[in-house]
Amino acid sequence: MARYDNIEEFEPDLDGTGLRIGIVMSRFNQEIGEGLLSSCTAALTRQGVSTSDILIVSVPGALEAPIALQKMAGSGWFDSLVVLGAVIRGDTYHFEVVANESASGITAVTLDTGVPIANGILTTEDEDQALARMSQKGTECALAAIEMANLLKRLDED
Ligand code: INI
């Protein structure tokens, strides 16, 4: 339903039929990664993405995610990518380095390649916060990946 008369608007399209989705999961804080992955894959298939059109790869930590995403984006096979993981504050400055560098690397890949990436790297104070957020964040990322793949296809067509 259009918001305004005489102004075209693309509605969010959450139909995952035919879309090819790549997922990169960080194994650091693996329990959180697995929780994110489970809600993400469930949401993708609920929206119509075929299991044979999903590829899951894992990396040691969030800092390794951007290069895996870059390779997958460059393959030309994926309509959208999702990155999942958790960076949990410890006692050292390393938290800031991992949280900030992984996020900026992920943004650089998506803008350099034009392939949408849903960023599901949680950055939390402790493990409980990450456990509380993982199910919703995995679902959100699946929906964001589908919506952005469809939006970019639509913008290419018109
Ligand atoms: N990687 C994460 O994914 N989460 C973290 O919380 C984390 N911390 O806290 O150190 C983390 N570090 C590992 C890092 O991503 C790299 O794997 C490592 O530095 C080797 O390059």
PDB file of all heavy atoms in Angstrom, residues 26 28-29 60-64 86-88 94-95 98, ligand 1:
ATOM      1  N   SER A  26      31.291 -16.731  13.314  1.00  0.00           N
ATOM      2  CA  SER A  26      32.518 -16.768  14.125  1.00  0.00           C
ATOM      3  C   SER A  26      32.374 -17.846  15.208  1.00  0.00           C
ATOM      4  O   SER A  26      31.360 -17.902  15.900  1.00  0.00           O
ATOM      5  CB  SER A  26      32.736 -15.398  14.774  1.00  0.00           C
ATOM      6  OG  SER A  26      33.608 -15.532  15.884  1.00  0.00           O
ATOM      7  N   PHE A  28      34.344 -18.047  17.807  1.00  0.00           N
ATOM      8  CA  PHE A  28      34.680 -17.487  19.117  1.00  0.00           C
ATOM      9  C   PHE A  28      33.345 -17.305  19.837  1.00  0.00           C
ATOM     10  O   PHE A  28      32.393 -16.822  19.244  1.00  0.00           O
ATOM     11  CB  PHE A  28      35.372 -16.131  18.923  1.00  0.00           C
ATOM     12  CG  PHE A  28      36.334 -15.773  20.001  1.00  0.00           C
ATOM     13  CD1 PHE A  28      37.684 -16.062  19.862  1.00  0.00           C
ATOM     14  CD2 PHE A  28      35.902 -15.128  21.147  1.00  0.00           C
ATOM     15  CE1 PHE A  28      38.585 -15.714  20.852  1.00  0.00           C
ATOM     16  CE2 PHE A  28      36.791 -14.775  22.143  1.00  0.00           C
ATOM     17  CZ  PHE A  28      38.140 -15.071  21.993  1.00  0.00           C
ATOM     18  N   ASN A  29      33.227 -17.648  21.083  1.00  0.00           N
ATOM     19  CA  ASN A  29      31.917 -17.645  21.770  1.00  0.00           C
ATOM     20  C   ASN A  29      30.931 -18.514  20.989  1.00  0.00           C
ATOM     21  O   ASN A  29      29.873 -18.058  20.534  1.00  0.00           O
ATOM     22  CB  ASN A  29      31.364 -16.216  21.919  1.00  0.00           C
ATOM     23  CG  ASN A  29      32.289 -15.317  22.722  1.00  0.00           C
ATOM     24  OD1 ASN A  29      32.691 -15.659  23.816  1.00  0.00           O
ATOM     25  ND2 ASN A  29      32.665 -14.183  22.165  1.00  0.00           N
ATOM     26  N   PRO A  60      37.525 -18.405  12.725  1.00  0.00           N
ATOM     27  CA  PRO A  60      37.907 -18.480  14.141  1.00  0.00           C
ATOM     28  C   PRO A  60      37.300 -17.372  14.994  1.00  0.00           C
ATOM     29  O   PRO A  60      36.868 -17.617  16.122  1.00  0.00           O
ATOM     30  CB  PRO A  60      39.433 -18.375  14.113  1.00  0.00           C
ATOM     31  CG  PRO A  60      39.840 -18.693  12.721  1.00  0.00           C
ATOM     32  CD  PRO A  60      38.688 -18.345  11.833  1.00  0.00           C
ATOM     33  N   GLY A  61      37.304 -16.139  14.476  1.00  0.00           N
ATOM     34  CA  GLY A  61      36.794 -15.012  15.265  1.00  0.00           C
ATOM     35  C   GLY A  61      36.263 -13.923  14.351  1.00  0.00           C
ATOM     36  O   GLY A  61      36.419 -13.990  13.116  1.00  0.00           O
ATOM     37  N   ALA A  62      35.676 -12.916  14.973  1.00  0.00           N
ATOM     38  CA  ALA A  62      35.042 -11.842  14.204  1.00  0.00           C
ATOM     39  C   ALA A  62      36.041 -11.107  13.309  1.00  0.00           C
ATOM     40  O   ALA A  62      35.666 -10.589  12.252  1.00  0.00           O
ATOM     41  CB  ALA A  62      34.376 -10.858  15.155  1.00  0.00           C
ATOM     42  N   LEU A  63      37.310 -11.063  13.706  1.00  0.00           N
ATOM     43  CA  LEU A  63      38.289 -10.345  12.876  1.00  0.00           C
ATOM     44  C   LEU A  63      38.553 -11.055  11.549  1.00  0.00           C
ATOM     45  O   LEU A  63      39.025 -10.425  10.603  1.00  0.00           O
ATOM     46  CB  LEU A  63      39.610 -10.173  13.640  1.00  0.00           C
ATOM     47  CG  LEU A  63      39.630  -9.092  14.719  1.00  0.00           C
ATOM     48  CD1 LEU A  63      41.007  -9.030  15.378  1.00  0.00           C
ATOM     49  CD2 LEU A  63      39.258  -7.725  14.146  1.00  0.00           C
ATOM     50  N   GLU A  64      38.279 -12.356  11.492  1.00  0.00           N
ATOM     51  CA  GLU A  64      38.480 -13.090  10.236  1.00  0.00           C
ATOM     52  C   GLU A  64      37.252 -13.015   9.321  1.00  0.00           C
ATOM     53  O   GLU A  64      37.300 -13.455   8.164  1.00  0.00           O
ATOM     54  CB  GLU A  64      38.792 -14.571  10.518  1.00  0.00           C
ATOM     55  CG  GLU A  64      40.210 -14.840  10.992  1.00  0.00           C
ATOM     56  CD  GLU A  64      40.467 -14.379  12.419  1.00  0.00           C
ATOM     57  OE1 GLU A  64      39.580 -14.525  13.271  1.00  0.00           O
ATOM     58  OE2 GLU A  64      41.569 -13.843  12.668  1.00  0.00           O
ATOM     59  N   ALA A  86      29.790 -13.089  18.253  1.00  0.00           N
ATOM     60  CA  ALA A  86      29.643 -12.280  19.462  1.00  0.00           C
ATOM     61  C   ALA A  86      31.012 -11.783  19.899  1.00  0.00           C
ATOM     62  O   ALA A  86      31.970 -12.556  19.953  1.00  0.00           O
ATOM     63  CB  ALA A  86      29.020 -13.108  20.581  1.00  0.00           C
ATOM     64  N   VAL A  87      31.069 -10.500  20.161  1.00  0.00           N
ATOM     65  CA  VAL A  87      32.265  -9.914  20.767  1.00  0.00           C
ATOM     66  C   VAL A  87      31.836  -9.478  22.171  1.00  0.00           C
ATOM     67  O   VAL A  87      30.951  -8.625  22.321  1.00  0.00           O
ATOM     68  CB  VAL A  87      32.804  -8.727  19.951  1.00  0.00           C
ATOM     69  CG1 VAL A  87      34.131  -8.254  20.536  1.00  0.00           C
ATOM     70  CG2 VAL A  87      32.979  -9.109  18.486  1.00  0.00           C
ATOM     71  N   ILE A  88      32.439 -10.115  23.163  1.00  0.00           N
ATOM     72  CA  ILE A  88      32.014  -9.900  24.550  1.00  0.00           C
ATOM     73  C   ILE A  88      33.130  -9.189  25.306  1.00  0.00           C
ATOM     74  O   ILE A  88      34.298  -9.607  25.232  1.00  0.00           O
ATOM     75  CB  ILE A  88      31.652 -11.252  25.207  1.00  0.00           C
ATOM     76  CG1 ILE A  88      30.482 -11.885  24.421  1.00  0.00           C
ATOM     77  CG2 ILE A  88      31.282 -11.054  26.678  1.00  0.00           C
ATOM     78  CD1 ILE A  88      30.047 -13.244  24.900  1.00  0.00           C
ATOM     79  N   HIS A  94      41.297  -5.154  23.863  1.00  0.00           N
ATOM     80  CA  HIS A  94      41.082  -6.029  22.701  1.00  0.00           C
ATOM     81  C   HIS A  94      39.618  -6.037  22.271  1.00  0.00           C
ATOM     82  O   HIS A  94      39.313  -6.139  21.085  1.00  0.00           O
ATOM     83  CB  HIS A  94      41.544  -7.454  23.033  1.00  0.00           C
ATOM     84  CG  HIS A  94      41.770  -8.300  21.817  1.00  0.00           C
ATOM     85  ND1 HIS A  94      42.606  -7.937  20.788  1.00  0.00           N
ATOM     86  CD2 HIS A  94      41.250  -9.501  21.453  1.00  0.00           C
ATOM     87  CE1 HIS A  94      42.603  -8.871  19.850  1.00  0.00           C
ATOM     88  NE2 HIS A  94      41.773  -9.829  20.225  1.00  0.00           N
ATOM     89  N   PHE A  95      38.699  -5.914  23.218  1.00  0.00           N
ATOM     90  CA  PHE A  95      37.260  -5.874  22.893  1.00  0.00           C
ATOM     91  C   PHE A  95      36.976  -4.788  21.859  1.00  0.00           C
ATOM     92  O   PHE A  95      36.309  -5.028  20.859  1.00  0.00           O
ATOM     93  CB  PHE A  95      36.445  -5.606  24.170  1.00  0.00           C
ATOM     94  CG  PHE A  95      34.989  -5.276  23.916  1.00  0.00           C
ATOM     95  CD1 PHE A  95      34.046  -6.285  23.760  1.00  0.00           C
ATOM     96  CD2 PHE A  95      34.551  -3.950  23.832  1.00  0.00           C
ATOM     97  CE1 PHE A  95      32.701  -5.984  23.529  1.00  0.00           C
ATOM     98  CE2 PHE A  95      33.210  -3.649  23.606  1.00  0.00           C
ATOM     99  CZ  PHE A  95      32.290  -4.671  23.458  1.00  0.00           C
ATOM    100  N   VAL A  98      38.454  -5.631  18.386  1.00  0.00           N
ATOM    101  CA  VAL A  98      37.712  -6.655  17.643  1.00  0.00           C
ATOM    102  C   VAL A  98      36.340  -6.116  17.216  1.00  0.00           C
ATOM    103  O   VAL A  98      35.934  -6.277  16.063  1.00  0.00           O
ATOM    104  CB  VAL A  98      37.554  -7.948  18.480  1.00  0.00           C
ATOM    105  CG1 VAL A  98      36.721  -8.983  17.722  1.00  0.00           C
ATOM    106  CG2 VAL A  98      38.913  -8.534  18.838  1.00  0.00           C
TER     107      VAL A  98
HETATM  108  N1  INI B   1      36.693 -12.787  18.418  1.00  0.00           N
HETATM  109  C1  INI B   1      35.322 -12.781  18.523  1.00  0.00           C
HETATM  110  O1  INI B   1      34.613 -13.165  17.574  1.00  0.00           O
HETATM  111  N2  INI B   1      34.742 -12.387  19.694  1.00  0.00           N
HETATM  112  C2  INI B   1      35.472 -11.953  20.766  1.00  0.00           C
HETATM  113  O2  INI B   1      34.865 -11.612  21.828  1.00  0.00           O
HETATM  114  C3  INI B   1      36.895 -11.932  20.668  1.00  0.00           C
HETATM  115  N3  INI B   1      37.697 -11.475  21.772  1.00  0.00           N
HETATM  116  O3  INI B   1      37.131 -11.008  22.770  1.00  0.00           O
HETATM  117  O4  INI B   1      38.908 -11.538  21.745  1.00  0.00           O
HETATM  118  C4  INI B   1      37.475 -12.369  19.449  1.00  0.00           C
HETATM  119  N4  INI B   1      38.828 -12.381  19.300  1.00  0.00           N
HETATM  120  C5  INI B   1      39.481 -13.149  18.282  1.00  0.00           C
HETATM  121  C6  INI B   1      39.691 -12.380  17.017  1.00  0.00           C
HETATM  122  O5  INI B   1      38.450 -12.203  16.327  1.00  0.00           O
HETATM  123  C7  INI B   1      40.620 -13.124  16.063  1.00  0.00           C
HETATM  124  O6  INI B   1      40.097 -14.404  15.792  1.00  0.00           O
HETATM  125  C8  INI B   1      42.047 -13.277  16.644  1.00  0.00           C
HETATM  126  O7  INI B   1      42.540 -12.017  17.064  1.00  0.00           O
HETATM  127  C9  INI B   1      42.996 -13.869  15.573  1.00  0.00           C
HETATM  128  O8  INI B   1      43.083 -12.992  14.434  1.00  0.00           O
END
